[in-house]
């Protein structure tokens, strides 16, 4: 568990903390990439805080994930192939943040 093992025993990863870290990470990635963006049509979105939404992306580039995580308000969790959950640190963070693993071979 690496990083997570070194946290104080009283530390509990809350959804609020995970949301903040996800937004921080996505902002950091966009800043490093020197990527600026603008959301067009956001006035057409009727966002209700406690309601779940399904957001689909055609995943054109490596920028899609940080852009979606940063540009859309609220809690965002993604579906990812299960192999990514084996990546050190990254996999633990995704699991603890409640991302969903799928087995693409199980059709």
């Amino acid at each position: 568990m690496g990083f997570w093992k070194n946290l104080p025993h009283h530390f509990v990863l809350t959804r609020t903390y995970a949301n903040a870290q996800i937004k921080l990470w996505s902002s950091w990635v966009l800043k490093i990439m020197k990527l600026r963006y603008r959301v067009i049509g956001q006035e057409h979105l009727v966002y209700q805080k406690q309601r779940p939404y399904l957001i689909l992306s055609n995943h054109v580039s490596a920028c899609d994930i940080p852009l979606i995580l940063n540009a859309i308000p609220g809690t965002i969790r993604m579906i990812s192939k299960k192999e990514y959950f084996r990546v050190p640190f990254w996999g633990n963070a995704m699991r603890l943040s409640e991302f969903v693993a799928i087995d693409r071979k199980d059709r």
Side-chain angles (χ1 to χ4, degrees), residues 38-55:
R38 154 176 82 132
V39 178
I40 299 171
Q42 193 165 7
E43 67 276 5
H44 300 293
L45 295 176
V46 180
Y47 173 72
Q48 296 173 5
K49 193 170 188 168
Q50 297 301 319
R51 185 172 176 194
Y53 295 91
L54 178 62
I55 299 164

Side-chain angles (χ1 to χ4, degrees), residues 27-94:
S27 296
W28 179 75
V29 169
L30 295 174
K31 185 179 267 190
I32 285 176
M33 297 172 86
K34 297 182 180 179
L35 187 75
R36 293 183 302 171
Y37 67 93
R38 154 176 82 132
V39 178
I40 299 171
Q42 193 165 7
E43 67 276 5
H44 300 293
L45 295 176
V46 180
Y47 173 72
Q48 296 173 5
K49 193 170 188 168
Q50 297 301 319
R51 185 172 176 194
Y53 295 91
L54 178 62
I55 299 164
L56 302 175
S57 168
N58 59 358
H59 207 17
V60 175
S61 75
C63 301
D64 291 356
I65 293 170
L67 276 170
I68 289 170
L69 292 171
N70 203 55
I72 297 175
T75 298
I76 305 254
R77 296 300 180 265
M78 296 190 173
I79 296 172
S80 178
K81 60 185 186 176
K82 71 177 187 173
E83 290 81 5
Y84 288 138
F85 286 77
R86 294 188 198 129
V87 176
F89 183 77
W90 191 256
N92 288 338
M94 288 173 48

Side-chain angles (χ1 to χ4, degrees), residues 7-15 17-18:
L7 291 173
H9 293 293
H10 64 277
F11 178 83
V12 176
L13 182 68
T14 64
R15 195 164 186 81
Y17 181 79

